[in-house]
């Protein structure tokens, strides 16, 4: 607390220095507003971890202050942590119709009860304690996305959510230029803006451009067409259905998550489906191939997805045939490139003709490129600028962009998760830090997989484990049974019998030495066995398996 | 063997359906010529594996037929398996000066003795049994690269090696258009051509374009400049040195492999170094920052490389400072994208200004794009075409390209590693299959890590291991000690004492049941313990650790 007077803080709990796990707090006095609550997928070295969510201990400590959670759209990296967080923090969640419908399905799936969802629509104004929140239509790769203007006693904070600017969106719901411009005209204290695509020059293409590519591919396709996309990309699915209709093809859906989303979107009126065009997957395989389209999950090469099973010839209903056209209409999430490439290769091997993002332009991004980011800044004309949603280099580059547009460097803040950035009307400054680590979810365990478990898994993955068991007489210390050696993931034992026999001899030598030196302390004996074996095995194999001596007494 | 008459076969042992591990055999009668012998880095799920090399059992079985190994250039994916293969198959290796110098250094490092290296130069003709091999200059991202024309009694086979077409190469040694054109004019039976960049339209830029970008970056840099690149990219290193000279900066080298290659290249005259410009790393850190350049390893974000250590603030001599300019002059190899991104982020955090390939054009590829690939086919005018060096989809797309240029589809062969493709003067056909699996190298073990070991490592990585030990009386079967439970990589035990106690109780119950049913067979007892625990732990945690019951008798 550097000075008197009114202050508002922003506190990111996720999404800064990373793509995903977005979560931002706005705090004014004893009032906290939460924006988004997403997950991120684990990094390669987080062995066995299912998802990673934000650490919300700061919120739990201050639960009486929390006015509610606002979700900007229905992607996993914005709503995915809610099933975990709402269990501990039952506060109302506010969002648009589709966003809440997707969230609700997710909460049911996780068995969360008693949640309170409250629907809003763009241009609605919501009063939550001292905050007045306006919802503003933006374009993104999922329908019903909004940015936010949060009016606080100190000034207005604009949070873009994830956005792009699409002048010709599929649903006709154009980015709300007026609202952003009006806020800019009235005066905005802070702009928090999406940095995901800051490394791309120019403008991101309109979703409609994908439709044009689809149209060409559909026109040329002689047999069946299979399109894989994110289930949540409803506009993409709408385009596939519309173009299938144009070319007189029936459409079936493959993959559970795709079915769920299509059902929800249909019910809520987000998809316009010509009567009779949708058929069951079981049916479509009996229709003439050139009259059919299958919309499928698996655009990320996920091992259990419908498309992967088709590519591996393991799908129960759909077998890829020469003549099939497959469109993978998504960008691989960083880290998934090789998975997707493998699926493309497999599809080619099955004889399909494959169009994929990297080379064929069958996808456009949902995030703003440099020119759109500049436009956002020019519309909103903020006093302070904080780049959000991006890896560190992206935040830096977005900060540079803002500086080019004339925002003074001292008014631009590149901060990290957990840093408390406080603003008065005049200035901004780092005012502290709250816990904002990564909470790892593995199965039912939330946060119980820590560094030690991960370090062990890493060593086990690398060179396996070798277990030495022996039973000692508790009075004399004499060996009653063993040493036995069991290994897993180290060497294929049948081919390494000699090595294991030598290892046993080494263990006996180590034990003899301990006896000579009258060492009776178990942990010292174990350490001796471990060191002797470790040295021996490294010399023989240049590998370092985990070595686990277990001693029993009878 | 479909018909009489003369036949020549090509037999790929690696490099088809993958990027790396290139190895191709040409067989005529009882004579085999080997082209390249490379390695590939392991896939993510090959836990603990260091490198993957071709299976050469077919060669070992037919060792008396092998006339020699020809290496087209000095990259790991072309020479990297030789230290392993030459131990079992001591035949002469032929290559250009730099290629052999790099190979020699590698063989010494691996302690391989008694090898026979024989130097050739472009336009040399080598007679090896019935084969006459011509070496043809091509452009690539390492100096001294060649393609091959192998004249056989059946006809001429042209093997491009890895290539691009650089009209303005740094060393002035231009791609040998005449030789390829002359071969085409005289008549070529088969063209084997590099498919790596077939997904890129247009032409690959000249290496000189990177120099222009470097020049701009150097001109603007106010403090120290650090350039990371592949050690083997000698032309890139030459450009850094020349431009450093132009801007009056001294140059130091960081990283062992970079030092090795620069030394070899200097000795052999492949690098032109202005006198006095090279200084030791220890010295350069004491010079004015704006007078210095460091050339470093680590362009792939390799964890132990010089650049990574600098980025992590763990390098002994070089500390990244605000004002430093870092250029990462390489494309991330597929799978390394996240590693490289992490280094870039770290460098930005240390305050450096970072230029990296993805966005800043500080790298050009060493492989031919579509227009160059077409040019190769047009020059060589082969009767038969076989795309090589590429993942499956790339081979297919290269085949499509060849078809567009008028090669009849029946004369184009997309084959897999291990397939024997036989040619007469008139036709080509698949004539069989030889072993061509992946040989995994882990430490000193070559091929001893198989599916079982990998499957175990995968399970261990995912959910860890839980070991149950107990000692039984060998006469009565009574429990003398235990059950004890030790786990690693499963849960953090101190926080899961209750779970482990419950698990022990489950084990005792399972043992009691076995006793009731008079089961005395150890493997059945173990299976019962494993099943009981597995079910219990999955219910409690939704995890499936490896469960390893160990029973001792006293």
């Amino acid at each position: 607390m550097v000075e008197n007077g009114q202050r508002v803080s922003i506190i990111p709990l996720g999404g800064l220095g990373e793509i995903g796990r977005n979560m931002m707090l706005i705090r004014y006095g004893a009032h906290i507003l939460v924006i988004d609550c997403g997950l991120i997928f684990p990094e390669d070295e987080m062995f066995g971890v299912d998802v990673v969510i934000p650490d919300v201990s700061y919120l739990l400590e201050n639960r009486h202050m929390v006015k509610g959670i606002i979700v900007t759209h229905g992607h996993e990296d914005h709503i995915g942590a809610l099933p975990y967080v709402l269990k501990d923090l039952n506060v109302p969640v506010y969002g648009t119709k589709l966003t809440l419908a997707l969230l609700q399905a997710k909460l049911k799936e996780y068995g969360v009860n008693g949640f309170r969802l409250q629907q809003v629509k763009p241009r609605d104004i919501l009063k939550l304690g001292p905050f007045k929140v306006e919802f503003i239509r933006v374009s993104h790769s999922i329908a019903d996305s909004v940015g936010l203007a949060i009016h606080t006693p100190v000034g207005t904070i604009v949070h873009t959510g994830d956005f792009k600017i699409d002048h010709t969106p599929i649903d006709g719901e154009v980015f709300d230029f007026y609202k952003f411009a009006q806020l800019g005209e009235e005066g905005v204290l802070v702009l928090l803006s999406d940095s995901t695509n800051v490394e791309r020059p120019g403008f991101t293409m309109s979703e409609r451009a994908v439709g044009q590519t689809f149209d060409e591919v559909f026109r040329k396709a002689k047999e069946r067409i299979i399109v894989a996309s994110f289930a949540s990309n409803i506009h993409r699915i709408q385009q596939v259905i519309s173009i299938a209709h144009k070319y007189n093809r029936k459409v079936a859906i493959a993959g559970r998550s795709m079915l769920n989303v299509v059902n929800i979107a249909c019910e809520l009126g987000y998809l316009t489906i010509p009567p009779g065009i949708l058929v069951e997957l079981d049916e479509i395989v009996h229709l003439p191939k050139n009259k059919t389209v299958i919309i499928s999950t698996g655009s990320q090469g996920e091992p259990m997805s419908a498309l992967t099973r088709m590519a591996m010839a393991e799908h129960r209903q759909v077998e890829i045939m020469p003549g099939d056209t497959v469109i993978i209409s998504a960008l691989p999430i960083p880290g998934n490139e090789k998975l997707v490439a493998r699926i493309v290769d497999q599809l080619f091997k099955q004889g399909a003709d494959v169009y994929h993002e990297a080379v064929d332009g069958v996808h456009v991004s949902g995030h703003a490129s440099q020119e759109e980011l500049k436009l956002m800044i020019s519309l909103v004309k903020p006093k302070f600028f904080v780049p959000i949603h991006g890896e560190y280099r992206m935040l830096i580059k977005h900060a540079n962009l803002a500086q080019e547009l004339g925002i003074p460097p001292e008014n631009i803040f590149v901060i990290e998760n957990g840093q408390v950035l406080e603003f008065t009307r005049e200035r901004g400054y780092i005012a502290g830090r709250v816990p904002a680590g990564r909470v790892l979810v593995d199965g039912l365990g939330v946060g119980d997989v820590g560094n030690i478990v991960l370090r062990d898994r890493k060593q086990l993955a690398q060179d396996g484990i070798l277990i030495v068991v022996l039973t000692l007489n508790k009075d004399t210390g004499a060996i009653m049974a063993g040493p036995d050696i069991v290994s897993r993931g180290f060497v294929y034992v049948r081919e390494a019998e000699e090595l294991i026999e030598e290892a046993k001899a080494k263990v006996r030598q180590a034990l003899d030495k301990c006896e000579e030196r009258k060492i009776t302390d178990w942990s010292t004996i174990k350490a001796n066995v471990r060191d002797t074996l470790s040295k021996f095995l490294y010399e023989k194999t240049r590998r370092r398996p985990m070595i686990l001596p277990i001693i029993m007494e009878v």
Side-chain angles (χ1 to χ4, degrees), chain A residues 90-106:
Chain A
N90 190 357
V91 295
V93 180
Y94 304 88
T96 53
K97 187 159 74 170
L98 181 66
T99 307
L100 292 189
L102 292 169
L103 173 59
Q104 185 160 19
K106 178 174 280 296

Side-chain angles (χ1 to χ4, degrees), chain A residues 42 46-47 49-53 437-442 445-451 454:
Chain A
M46 293 182 190
F47 291 119
V49 172
D50 302 327
V51 301
V52 181
I53 62 174
R438 302 189 282 198
V439 174
L440 311 187
V441 179
D442 179 6
V446 178
D448 69 333
V449 167
N451 286 336
L454 284 183

Side-chain angles (χ1 to χ4, degrees), chain A residues 156-180:
Chain A
T156 299
I157 299 171
V158 172
H159 184 298
T160 65
D162 283 352
F163 82 101
K164 69 190 269 191
I165 296 175
D166 193 334
H167 296 280
T168 54
I170 301 306
D171 57 7
E173 299 284 0
V174 178
F175 181 92
D176 195 344
F177 290 99
Y178 169 74
K179 186 44 83 177
F180 285 107

